[in-house]
Structures are given as structure tokens and as C-alpha cells.
Amino acid sequence: HPKMLVLILLILTFMIYIGSEISMNGWIYTYTITLFPAEIGQAGFILSAFWICMTTGRVVSMFAVRRLVPGNLLLINFLGATAGVLILVLFSKYLSAIWIGTMLTGYSMGSIFPLLLTFGDKAIGLTGKISGIIFAGTSIGGMIFPYMNGQFFTRISPKATMLSIMLSVISACMIFILIRIVTARQENKQRIEV
């Protein structure tokens, strides 16, 4: 059943995305002080900047969603978050790049969760039961991914953690694109039947 498929894909998207968001929040401070041991104070400000940008992104999305389709806005945000983490990986020797990458990631991630909920509601209708299942998925993602990224951090390298977060964001984006394809086909099918 297409609705069931969309629900499963939506749960997966939420699980992977929330896992990457919590990982980013949990590891950016440690990432910064590992690469720049003398900049402990700056690392704290960088973490604060992540949250300020996340909040700003969430507020801006409330207004942007009136002009743009949530699905399109989500794709832009997924790309922004991927680009932000990529900056953290590629230019890790520059503290300014850590600032820019963190702020871009935070800003882009800020609106993904509420926009995914909006999109999910339009696609399948979020009842209390469905929302409960989705939130259970986010909780699982919030436990598994930060732990997994911690293992990458200590056993491989700090960059491995950032690469893992970036791959998680890309994976969530790919699943979301798949959801859009499935829902678009379903809408076309309904139009033909009408």
C-alpha cells in the first residue's frame, strides 16, 4: 500500500535526520577543541552559534513556507546542511571554516524537522498514532547515531564523524526524494481515476 510505504520512508527520514542533527549538536564542540586545542572558548561560542542559526532557520522557514512549497524548501535545506558539513570536513584546518560550516549547517537544519512534519501531514495525514510512531523513530535515531558517531570519533578520526553526519544528511535527503516520487505518482494516479 502506497500510504504505508510513505509512512515507512518518512519514519526512516526522521530517524536518520534527527540522528545527524543530534550528532552535530553533540560533536561539534569536541570536533573544534580536538582540531584547535587552544580555542576552548571559541568552541563554546561555535556551539552557541549552531543553536542561534538553528533557531533563526526555524523562524525564517515559518515565513518562507508561505511562498515556497515545503518539499522544495526541504531540498534546499538538505543541500545547505550537506554543504555546511562538507566545509567542516574539507577546510578543517581553518577555524573560520569551522564557524562558517557550523552556522550554515545549523541554519539549514533548523527548519528540516518542522517542514518534514508539514510535508508528512500533507502526504499521509498525521494522526496521533502516526505521529507517535514517527517520534519513536526519531528517538531511536537520536540514540543510535550519536553513539555510532562517537565510535567513529574515537576509533577512526574526528573527520570520520563529520563525514558520517554528512552521509546521514544525504541519506535522509535521498529517502525524502523517494517519498516525493511515490506521493507524486499517487497523486497522478488519483487524478487519472477522477
Side-chain angles (χ1 to χ4, degrees):
H1 194 269
K3 195 174 176 182
M4 193 66 188
L5 176 64
V6 171
L7 176 61
I8 291 164
L9 292 173
L10 203 59
I11 293 164
L12 268 176
T13 309
F14 270 107
M15 192 172 92
I16 296 167
Y17 167 69
I18 288 297
S20 64
E21 184 187 289
I22 293 171
S23 294
M24 182 69 188
N25 170 47
W27 287 104
I28 190 60
Y29 177 85
T30 314
Y31 184 73
T32 308
I33 59 170
T34 305
L35 298 177
F36 301 94
E39 302 292 349
I40 290 176
Q42 287 242 28
F45 287 126
I46 286 169
L47 179 60
S48 297
F50 175 74
W51 277 104
I52 290 165
C53 290
M54 232 180 138
T55 306
T56 307
R58 208 157 272 188
V59 171
V60 169
S61 78
M62 284 168 17
F63 298 100
V65 82
R66 292 177 188 165
R67 294 174 179 265
L68 291 162
V69 181
N72 296 343
L73 205 52
L74 268 164
L75 287 176
I76 293 165
N77 285 318
F78 275 126
L79 286 171
T82 304
V85 185
L86 188 61
I87 290 167
L88 291 169
V89 174
L90 294 180
F91 306 103
S92 58
K93 54 176 125 165
Y94 306 105
L95 188 62
S96 56
I98 305 293
W99 273 99
I100 293 163
T102 303
M103 289 167 80
L104 177 59
T105 306
Y107 181 81
S108 302
M109 281 183 162
S111 58
I112 292 176
F113 186 79
L115 285 172
L116 263 177
L117 280 175
T118 305
F119 181 85
D121 192 32
K122 283 185 178 171
I124 54 170
L126 295 181
T127 61
K129 187 181 178 183
I130 291 172
S131 297
I133 295 165
I134 287 171
F135 283 111
T138 62
S139 300
I140 293 164
M143 288 185 293
I144 294 169
F145 285 86
Y147 173 77
M148 183 182 77
N149 286 318
Q151 296 304 307
F152 290 146
F153 199 98
T154 53
R155 289 168 192 240
I156 305 168
S157 74
K159 273 190 186 178
T161 294
M162 289 301 151
L163 274 170
S164 168
I165 292 169
M166 188 178 80
L167 290 172
S168 298
V169 173
I170 292 169
S171 301
C173 182
M174 291 300 176
I175 299 168
F176 174 68
I177 290 168
L178 190 60
I179 294 170
R180 287 190 76 177
I181 293 165
V182 172
T183 52
R185 278 189 186 158
Q186 194 59 22
E187 280 167 19
N188 288 338
K189 200 174 167 188
Q190 282 169 350
R191 274 194 212 109
I192 292 162
E193 284 169 4
V194 170

